[in-house]
Amino acid sequence: PEELRKIWVGWHDTGAPMRQKYVRFIELQNIGAKELGYKDTGELWRAGYDMTPAEFSVELERAWTQLQPLYDELFTYVRTRLIAKYGKAAERADGKIPAQLLGNMWAQEWGNIYDIVAPTDPKLAQYKPVNLEEALKKQIAAKDPAAAAAFASGTDLTSDAGQDAKTAAGKAMVRYGESFFTSLGFPALPATFWERSQFIHPRDRDVVCHASAWDLDSVDDLRVKMCIEVNDDYFTTVHHELGHNFYQRAYNKQPFLFRGGANDGFHEAIGDAVALSITPSYLKALGLSESEPPAEADIPLQLRTALDKIAFLPFALALDKWRWGVFSGEIKPADYNKAWWELRGKYQKVAPPVDRSETDFDAGAKMHVPANVPYARYYLARIYQFQFYKAMCDASGYKGPLNRCSFFASKPAGDKLAKMLEAGQSQPWQQTLKEMTGSDHLDAQAMADYFAPLYEWLKMQNAKK
Ligand code: X8Z
Ligand code: ZN
């Protein structure tokens, strides 16, 4: 915990120098938003959803009340297990979890601490979710000699040969994502994608590594810009980014104004909905796992998934609640940091590892704040992706527990997805959602259904102590 604390503090030190500039940045944006007829920029951001900004805020809260009981159980379970591991360093009198212990710099996704919180009951403990990092490295090295050197000890990764090997490994990662989309019937990515994308951190200059996906010409010049490493997180991220690229390509026949996601949450949800199909049986089909675990193994796997998917929701909500408050003036510059931790404490129940003050600017240490990328889109996406996933599972003819469905290679699922993507922004998103899922609103039910077995299990674990 001591080491994690130091790393956390070091990262968050990057925020402070931005604090004054951020105050001015907010003022300038609000001038623009007012000129466009909005009260402030937060209202402008909330106005992009075919409903009033006030209705939009209510929608987000409504979905949160659907999922909060599951978050609470997950939180209690994780806190207990962290205290069992770290003792006093994980225990606070106010019941919050110290943010540096959750396996992610922003405590936004907790899957990296799976090993610490994995079930101990031997009946379940025998089912370890596959070590994807290991399996990917092994498979990529075996299939692609040019990439193998990237994992071999003794390779100088800054040499020309080392850079080539890392690039080959990065491309191999993206190929997994591409092959999922082509299995659904989408055409392969163009040759220029492979020539013009940035797949790894270049050795000779500083770049923004935060993954992004680009459509340069609305014809077919699609690219990603990432710094890929071969591990679990990046396996998910390549699918996420390709979701953007396949969406961009699908709506580029629309008139200019309609070339966009049905709303920004849709854009963020496509690749993730596809990645939910990365089930044990899919990994087995790919040769990334040897066996397909039985039904009892669903709890460990669901726990691993929930650590990423469920834990994320209150983080995303807190982030944009903070920005809306900052834009409206309800949160004054003198209280930026205090309000930040109040909201993170209220929704996520996490706390900073060391005392913070108003010389700090911890929100600034999250890329989307200085880069000014709205964040409610990711909250929506976390919920929509389960709605989309269920719709595509149904289209594929799948029957059975939702969390075991993979619609890999299903043409009907692909056709359904293509139709939604091609519509772009040409009609209200409610209509697009209805055509895709039968429902015209954000609905956390599919997500709750997916995790229903885990919810029951967590309640039992938490009742035990
Ligand atoms: O920023 C992203 C993508 C690019 S749109 C990699 N995501 C959010 C984040 O990293 O905070 C995806 C999940 C949430
Ligand atoms: Zn994205």
Side-chain angles (χ1 to χ4, degrees):
E2 185 53 21
E3 178 102 33
L4 292 171
R5 184 186 63 78
K6 280 193 205 143
I7 295 167
W8 189 98
V9 169
W11 184 276
H12 284 77
D13 279 347
T14 59
M18 289 183 248
R19 190 175 161 121
Q20 281 320 311
K21 290 179 196 285
Y22 193 75
V23 175
R24 180 67 180 142
F25 182 44
I26 296 294
E27 287 168 7
L28 290 170
Q29 287 192 76
N30 275 339
I31 293 169
K34 285 200 180 89
E35 282 174 0
L36 292 170
Y38 297 94
K39 276 213 285 272
D40 60 71
T41 309
E43 201 193 68
L44 167 65
W45 283 9
R46 294 190 300 280
Y49 299 94
D50 299 304
M51 57 175 78
T52 68
E55 283 165 348
F56 181 65
S57 307
V58 173
E59 280 295 285
L60 299 194
E61 288 288 346
R62 183 184 53 71
W64 175 232
T65 51
Q66 278 182 282
L67 293 163
Q68 193 179 5
L70 174 52
Y71 179 74
D72 286 347
E73 296 297 337
L74 182 68
F75 175 93
T76 303
Y77 173 79
V78 166
R79 179 169 181 269
T80 307
R81 296 298 304 276
L82 287 174
I83 292 170
K85 177 168 172 80
Y86 293 120
K88 285 239 170 320
E91 191 162 14
R92 293 173 51 101
D94 62 9
K96 290 178 192 159
I97 298 179
Q100 83 279 22
L101 302 180
L102 289 161
N104 175 285
M105 192 54 81
W106 308 275
Q108 67 180 58
E109 278 148 338
W110 304 349
N112 287 325
I113 60 161
Y114 178 77
D115 287 349
I116 299 174
V117 304
T120 51
D121 173 353
K123 279 213 283 307
L124 294 180
Q126 60 175 313
Y127 301 116
K128 298 201 183 8
V130 276
N131 184 336
L132 248 192
E133 178 170 338
E134 215 172 84
L136 284 166
K137 285 181 178 166
K138 210 169 128 199
Q139 189 168 76
I140 292 173
K143 274 198 189 157
D144 187 351
F151 317 118
S153 60
T155 305
D156 172 9
L157 292 174
T158 64
S159 67
D160 288 352
Q163 293 278 294
D164 288 349
K166 276 202 83 168
T167 304
K171 287 183 179 175
M173 288 282 280
V174 181
R175 288 282 182 200
Y176 286 105
E178 183 195 38
S179 70
F180 202 112
F181 281 92
T182 54
S183 89
L184 298 176
F186 289 86
L189 291 162
T192 50
F193 172 90
W194 302 100
E195 293 153 16
R196 297 173 183 171
S197 289
Q198 175 198 294
F199 296 105
I200 62 164
H201 193 314
R203 66 187 150 179
D204 57 349
R205 61 192 185 279
D206 208 7
V207 295
V208 173
C209 271
H210 195 96
S212 53
W214 303 83
D215 176 6
L216 279 283
D217 63 356
S218 280
V219 182
D220 216 25
D221 189 350
L222 305 161
R223 308 181 196 178
V224 290
K225 181 162 80 66
M226 330 178 42
C227 304
I228 301 174
E229 301 285 335
V230 177
N231 62 33
D232 276 48
D233 279 351
Y234 275 102
F235 194 63
T236 317
T237 305
V238 295
H239 288 81
H240 177 94
E241 296 308 327
L242 292 191
H244 288 307
N245 284 139
F246 280 94
Y247 208 170
Q248 290 158 346
R249 182 197 245 172
Y251 58 59
N252 74 16
K253 307 268 177 320
Q254 292 284 352
F256 178 74
L257 291 175
F258 295 158
R259 285 179 213 151
N263 68 39
D264 55 7
F266 279 57
H267 228 302
E268 297 302 338
I270 304 308
D272 291 14
V274 163
L276 284 172
S277 273
I278 304 172
T279 56
S281 68
Y282 172 68
L283 290 175
K284 181 159 176 262
L286 247 56
L288 285 168
S289 123
E290 269 148 34
S291 58
E292 192 185 332
E296 304 90 89
D298 279 3
I299 293 296
L301 187 65
Q302 288 218 324
L303 178 61
R304 173 72 181 72
T305 310
L307 289 167
D308 281 340
K309 301 285 179 186
I310 299 292
F312 180 77
L313 294 165
F315 171 77
L317 203 52
L319 202 170
D320 263 6
K321 290 248 168 187
W322 181 80
R323 271 193 300 203
W324 297 346
V326 164
F327 281 129
S328 75
E330 205 176 304
I331 296 170
K332 303 266 176 298
D335 298 322
Y336 273 2
N337 223 43
K338 182 168 139 265
W340 173 250
W341 286 109
E342 275 169 9
L343 283 162
R344 304 240 2 236
K346 176 178 168 195
Y347 287 99
Q348 282 185 286
K349 295 188 275 186
V350 302
V354 294
D355 286 344
R356 307 306 279 165
S357 75
E358 293 303 333
T359 58
D360 301 307
F361 182 47
D362 293 325
K366 175 68 195 163
M367 189 284 286
H368 300 69
V369 173
N372 213 37
V373 181
Y375 214 78
R377 59 181 61 178
Y378 301 105
Y379 176 86
L380 296 173
R382 210 49 60 124
I383 298 170
Y384 288 151
Q385 66 188 256
F386 287 87
Q387 293 181 261
F388 298 162
Y389 170 69
K390 183 176 183 321
M392 288 186 276
C393 287
D394 289 346
S396 76
Y398 174 82
K399 306 260 181 294
L402 188 56
N403 66 303
R404 292 178 159 230
C405 155
S406 177
F407 51 77
F408 181 72
S410 164
K411 196 75 194 5
D415 289 347
K416 194 139 211 215
L417 180 60
K419 191 162 176 285
M420 171 165 85
L421 302 189
E422 282 159 17
Q425 213 174 188
S426 63
Q427 59 189 20
W429 66 263
Q430 289 90 338
Q431 193 179 328
T432 306
L433 187 65
K434 183 141 193 148
E435 287 162 13
M436 177 74 178
T437 69
S439 164
D440 64 359
H441 61 279
L442 178 70
D443 185 359
Q445 197 56 46
M447 192 174 194
D449 289 348
Y450 183 100
F451 289 112
L454 179 72
Y455 182 48
E456 292 311 315
W457 184 82
L458 287 171
K459 280 196 284 192
M460 262 156 46
Q461 303 308 305
N462 292 335
K464 268 190 204 158
K465 16 161 228 154

